[in-house]
Amino acid sequence: MRRFFLAVCCLALAAPAVAESLFKCTDAQGAVSILSEPCPAGSTQVWKRDATPEPGPSVEELAARAALAEAEARRAAEEARLAEAARLAEEQRLQAEAQARAEEAAGSPRRKSECTQAHEFSDSVLEKPWLRLTQAQLAELRAWVVAQCAHVYDS
């Protein structure tokens, strides 16, 4: 067992050293070289830099970055969807205005509202005594007119 332990220690000491620094050297003729060991005799060391790579992101950091990117993508997609809906609504509004102006210029009558149409229908029915409407039918007619004009009365 002792021999095995001694052999492992010797192997550990004999392992090649990993380059942890870089050296920029200039020799007497002005040639520049970058080495992983100190500058040789007769050359000048310009700089020495740590060459140990920084550890990469952890699994948790990668997951957090992915979640953040996904949330940003969802936000951007929702923002684009809302912008497109607003653009379409504005386009429809402009088309309706243009159509109304064209109808007005052509002299065609404007479409009557449902409330106005209901009142006109009720008036025309009441002008016809030969229909002989009962009180219940008249009440039902009035209730229908009120229902058609509910949006006007609520304002």
Side-chain angles (χ1 to χ4, degrees):
M1 183 71 172
R2 259 200 231 169
R3 286 184 182 169
F4 176 75
F5 182 73
L6 184 60
V8 170
C9 287
C10 287
L11 286 174
L13 293 174
V18 177
E20 294 180 3
S21 297
L22 292 176
F23 300 88
K24 182 175 181 181
C25 306
T26 306
D27 63 10
Q29 287 80 27
V32 177
S33 59
I34 297 179
L35 306 170
S36 60
E37 52 207 30
C39 296
S43 63
T44 307
Q45 178 177 320
V46 178
W47 52 250
K48 176 183 175 183
R49 301 272 160 64
D50 184 25
T52 306
E54 293 187 20
S58 69
V59 174
E60 293 83 11
E61 290 173 331
L62 291 173
R65 288 179 189 172
L68 185 63
E70 184 179 328
E72 179 63 23
R74 279 195 309 267
R75 186 198 62 76
E78 180 65 15
E79 194 173 281
R81 187 190 65 77
L82 291 174
E84 180 65 13
R87 186 191 67 77
L88 289 175
E90 179 65 13
E91 187 176 301
Q92 285 178 341
R93 185 187 67 78
L94 292 174
Q95 285 177 351
E97 285 179 3
Q99 184 178 358
R101 282 193 300 272
E103 288 175 357
E104 189 175 305
S108 61
R110 293 192 72 117
R111 186 173 182 270
K112 296 178 183 177
S113 71
E114 291 178 3
C115 181
T116 303
Q117 290 175 352
H119 278 288
E120 289 176 355
F121 176 77
S122 174
D123 293 343
S124 69
V125 167
L126 294 176
E127 289 174 356
K128 298 176 176 73
W130 49 268
L131 286 176
R132 295 187 185 127
L133 297 177
T134 64
Q135 290 299 319
Q137 289 171 328
L138 289 172
E140 194 172 326
L141 180 62
R142 280 192 293 274
W144 175 77
V145 171
V146 169
Q148 296 302 309
C149 297
H151 68 280
V152 175
Y153 297 140
D154 289 342
S155 305

